[in-house]
Amino acid sequence: MRLVSIDIDGIERPGAVLHGPDGVDRVLDLGAGTPSATLVQLLADDAALATARAAIDRADPVTLPRLADLRLAPPVRPLTILCLGYNYGGHIEGHTEGLVEGDQGEEAPPYPNVFIKTANTIGGPHDPVVMPPAATDVDYEGEIAVVIGRTARNVAEADALAHVAGYTLFNDVSDRGWQDRSSQWALGKSVDGFGPLGPWIVTADEVPSLAGRQMEVELNGVVTVRASTDAMVYGVAFLVHYLSQIITLQPGDIISTGTPARSVQAQSAHRPLADGDTVTIRVTGLGELTTTFVR
Amino acid sequence: MRLVSIDIDGIERPGAVLHGPDGVDRVLDLGAGTPSATLVQLLADDAALATARAAIDRADPVTLPRLADLRLAPPVRPLTILCLGYNYGGHIEGHTEGLVEGDQGEEAPPYPNVFIKTANTIGGPHDPVVMPPAATDVDYEGEIAVVIGRTARNVAEADALAHVAGYTLFNDVSDRGWQDRSSQWALGKSVDGFGPLGPWIVTADEVPSLAGRQMEVELNGVVTVRASTDAMVYGVAFLVHYLSQIITLQPGDIISTGTPARSVQAQSAHRPLADGDTVTIRVTGLGELTTTFVR
């Protein structure tokens, strides 16, 4: 299933995206019978998921509203957002994570390099990123985010995927100026709205593995990143296991799996994001997330 | 006022601590008329604060339950926890923040070194810190935490203190092993329960400045840190201003102002915390917070 959070006048309801025989994506409102349920509550509830599947099977897509006519909220609103640095082959340890082009032969870091973004960063798939006056060196990153569905505490690697609800796309927007002011990247990563998430969660049953997927990131329509998920250093099951040894992961929490390096051409043309720039992240089978940056 | 969050069978209600004529601290339940209000809601509401003050003035402390007989929750449950590294003179930039003894002549860092703890770290003043098997190098730090009362977004330094509800104590517990695994300290700082907070919030009207206060931290009754808040590098008004340029601070969010260096003797006797250790943080006018560490 592709599950979304529909924003109806500020109330968020879960929905499923159905691809109609007319080739148009349409949305089935899954909150109709249970108006208080959010998508994260649905993801954590086997019976509700089964009911949702049955409703999808019964639905006639052509009668449903078009996805393009709805406003989407972030699919989840995580309390905890854990992000990976240097998690694709090709990165080297530079002073600015995500900016430095590396050798494919670079050794993997001995442990995952994990940083935190605060909850104020999360934005919906239709929200622009508003760059505040203090952020003058704004940069984008395209990532696959793991969405936790079941509470994960000290889980073995072999059991870890049972705690994953699904996958979505995440733009780990950063202000490199604030990021580089001190040893800890925290502030450069945690600017209000610097975490567009979505557009939907592809449920884990449809993603047995992230392997073999193509990721592309475009800036204003020009591809700047093209990579295979096969270059990912630490995989999903290991990360859930590793992190759950010390942090109880809750439904709706996300682990963002890191960004691949940019092409040499893109890196040499690099400049801070400016008013009106758009960034699109596209991953095989997971959809695409386009964000506009404004001042 | 000294304000607490009382835990009554899992329901948290705001309360005020009154020092009775018999020398005993007692607690006035401020949630009696408004059972849904939490302490953070009270802190953000001028009218409710005035009502609370009037109720305190009318109360006869001797008739109230003793503080020692109540269970306290964390005074607030922050969504965002921002912590300062190297924010007292005497620290030098070492590979392990908070562990390295420095020269008093050390230059201040050019910008505040800010890191994040996740929300799962917050513990109440009576909660033990349960060290999970994976955390084998656990360490304590004693800090003063600023509690935000009014939403702060892009506030000038001159206006910043109007957004502060008050002050409490915070033990920035860390696992140095996880902290040192990579460049980012995030995981070593974010273990479940590694952030005891409390016991109360001293409201800002009673704390015109943090200057001139003595901080002591004891491990098993032996003083290991003794410092004056005058050695603080970046002060409260600047920090609220600085952070609010990029992060909208919400009521209940905390900014922890950093830990002073340990005494040379304490540092030379340093070992990881073990089952049964207790740590007390004590600051003039702000009270004391004692935490037991267990395996």
Side-chain angles (χ1 to χ4, degrees), chain B residues 129 131 136 138-139 219-220 271-278 292-295:
Chain B
V129 169
M131 299 178 285
T136 57
V138 179
D139 199 6
L219 170 62
N220 298 327
R271 60 160 174 76
L273 290 171
D275 187 57
D277 281 340
T278 63
T292 302
F293 291 77
V294 299
R295 278 278 164 207

Side-chain angles (χ1 to χ4, degrees), chain B residues 136-163:
Chain B
T136 57
D137 192 1
V138 179
D139 199 6
Y140 60 94
E141 298 188 11
E143 313 201 351
I144 299 170
V146 179
V147 181
I148 298 297
R150 305 300 155 82
T151 302
R153 180 160 185 262
N154 214 12
V155 298
E157 190 170 346
D159 302 327
L161 293 182
H163 298 264

Side-chain angles (χ1 to χ4, degrees), chain B residues 51-190:
Chain B
T51 304
R53 276 180 222 282
I56 291 167
D57 289 343
R58 282 196 311 271
D60 178 4
V62 178
T63 65
L64 300 173
R66 289 166 176 256
L67 175 63
D69 293 337
L70 298 176
R71 183 162 183 83
L72 298 182
V76 289
R77 294 191 177 275
L79 195 60
T80 297
I81 305 161
L82 300 169
C83 300
L84 276 283
Y86 317 119
N87 200 38
Y88 276 83
H91 269 302
I92 56 167
E93 188 95 12
H95 79 297
T96 302
E97 175 264 351
L99 271 180
V100 181
E101 210 63 30
D103 300 314
Q104 292 297 328
E106 182 70 17
E107 279 181 45
Y111 293 101
N113 200 331
V114 178
F115 60 92
I116 298 163
K117 289 175 85 103
T118 47
N120 60 303
T121 59
I122 293 295
H126 298 154
D127 297 336
V129 169
V130 180
M131 299 178 285
T136 57
D137 192 1
V138 179
D139 199 6
Y140 60 94
E141 298 188 11
E143 313 201 351
I144 299 170
V146 179
V147 181
I148 298 297
R150 305 300 155 82
T151 302
R153 180 160 185 262
N154 214 12
V155 298
E157 190 170 346
D159 302 327
L161 293 182
H163 298 264
V164 173
Y167 301 88
T168 188
L169 303 178
F170 187 58
N171 194 334
D172 169 26
V173 181
S174 312
D175 185 89
R176 302 300 182 192
W178 284 76
Q179 181 177 341
D180 290 346
R181 284 185 178 183
S182 67
S183 70
Q184 300 302 296
W185 306 337
L187 294 184
K189 296 293 190 177
S190 293

Side-chain angles (χ1 to χ4, degrees), chain A residues 78-82 86 93 110-120 130 132-135 153-154 178 181-188 190-192 242-243 245-249, chain B residues 78-82 86 93 110-120 130 132-135 153-154 178 181-188 190-192 242-243 245-249:
Chain A
L79 196 60
T80 297
I81 305 160
L82 300 169
Y86 316 120
E93 189 96 11
Y111 293 101
N113 200 331
V114 178
F115 60 93
I116 298 163
K117 287 174 85 103
T118 46
N120 60 302
V130 180
R153 180 159 185 262
N154 214 12
W178 285 75
R181 284 185 179 185
S182 66
S183 71
Q184 301 302 297
W185 306 336
L187 294 183
S190 293
V191 184
D192 287 344
Y242 181 74
L243 296 166
Q245 295 176 70
I246 53 165
I247 298 176
T248 302
L249 301 168
Chain B
L79 195 60
T80 297
I81 305 161
L82 300 169
Y86 317 119
E93 188 95 12
Y111 293 101
N113 200 331
V114 178
F115 60 92
I116 298 163
K117 289 175 85 103
T118 47
N120 60 303
V130 180
R153 180 160 185 262
N154 214 12
W178 284 76
R181 284 185 178 183
S182 67
S183 70
Q184 300 302 296
W185 306 337
L187 294 184
S190 293
V191 184
D192 287 344
Y242 182 74
L243 296 167
Q245 294 176 71
I246 53 165
I247 299 176
T248 301
L249 301 168

Side-chain angles (χ1 to χ4, degrees), chain A residues 2-279:
Chain A
R2 287 183 290 163
L3 300 176
V4 292
S5 199
I6 315 165
D7 179 341
I8 303 174
D9 298 329
I11 309 293
E12 297 177 10
R13 296 157 71 100
V17 180
L18 282 72
H19 195 66
D22 54 357
V24 175
D25 273 342
R26 293 167 188 268
V27 177
L28 176 65
D29 184 343
L30 295 172
T34 53
S36 70
T38 61
L39 181 51
V40 68
Q41 290 169 322
L42 178 67
L43 291 170
D45 182 341
D46 270 340
L49 279 171
T51 304
R53 277 181 222 282
I56 292 168
D57 289 343
R58 282 195 312 271
D60 178 3
V62 179
T63 65
L64 300 173
R66 288 164 177 256
L67 175 64
D69 293 337
L70 298 177
R71 182 162 184 85
L72 298 182
V76 289
R77 294 191 178 275
L79 196 60
T80 297
I81 305 160
L82 300 169
C83 301
L84 276 283
Y86 316 120
N87 200 37
Y88 277 82
H91 268 301
I92 56 166
E93 189 96 11
H95 80 297
T96 301
E97 175 263 353
L99 272 180
V100 181
E101 209 64 31
D103 301 312
Q104 292 297 328
E106 182 69 19
E107 279 181 46
Y111 293 101
N113 200 331
V114 178
F115 60 93
I116 298 163
K117 287 174 85 103
T118 46
N120 60 302
T121 57
I122 293 294
H126 298 154
D127 297 336
V129 170
V130 180
M131 300 178 284
T136 57
D137 192 2
V138 179
D139 199 7
Y140 60 94
E141 298 187 12
E143 313 201 352
I144 299 171
V146 179
V147 181
I148 298 297
R150 305 297 156 83
T151 301
R153 180 159 185 262
N154 214 12
V155 299
E157 190 169 348
D159 302 327
L161 292 182
H163 298 263
V164 173
Y167 301 88
T168 188
L169 303 177
F170 187 57
N171 195 332
D172 169 25
V173 182
S174 311
D175 185 89
R176 302 298 183 193
W178 285 75
Q179 181 177 340
D180 290 347
R181 284 185 179 185
S182 66
S183 71
Q184 301 302 297
W185 306 336
L187 294 183
K189 295 294 190 177
S190 293
V191 184
D192 287 344
F194 274 31
L197 187 73
W200 46 63
I201 294 171
V202 179
T203 51
D205 58 312
E206 297 185 3
V207 187
S209 159
L210 287 182
R213 289 163 197 267
Q214 190 75 8
M215 176 188 286
E216 285 180 353
V217 183
E218 292 177 2
L219 170 62
N220 298 328
V222 176
V223 173
T224 58
V225 173
R226 183 172 281 135
S228 165
T229 51
D230 293 340
M232 205 179 274
V233 177
Y234 292 105
V236 177
F238 177 77
L239 290 171
V240 171
H241 154 67
Y242 181 74
L243 296 166
S244 78
Q245 295 176 70
I246 53 165
I247 298 176
T248 302
L249 301 168
Q250 305 284 355
D253 285 348
I254 67 172
I255 303 167
S256 199
T257 54
T259 199
R262 273 178 208 154
S263 68
V264 173
Q265 301 93 309
Q267 189 52 37
S268 63
H270 177 75
R271 59 158 174 78
L273 290 171
D275 187 58
D277 281 339
T278 62
V279 173

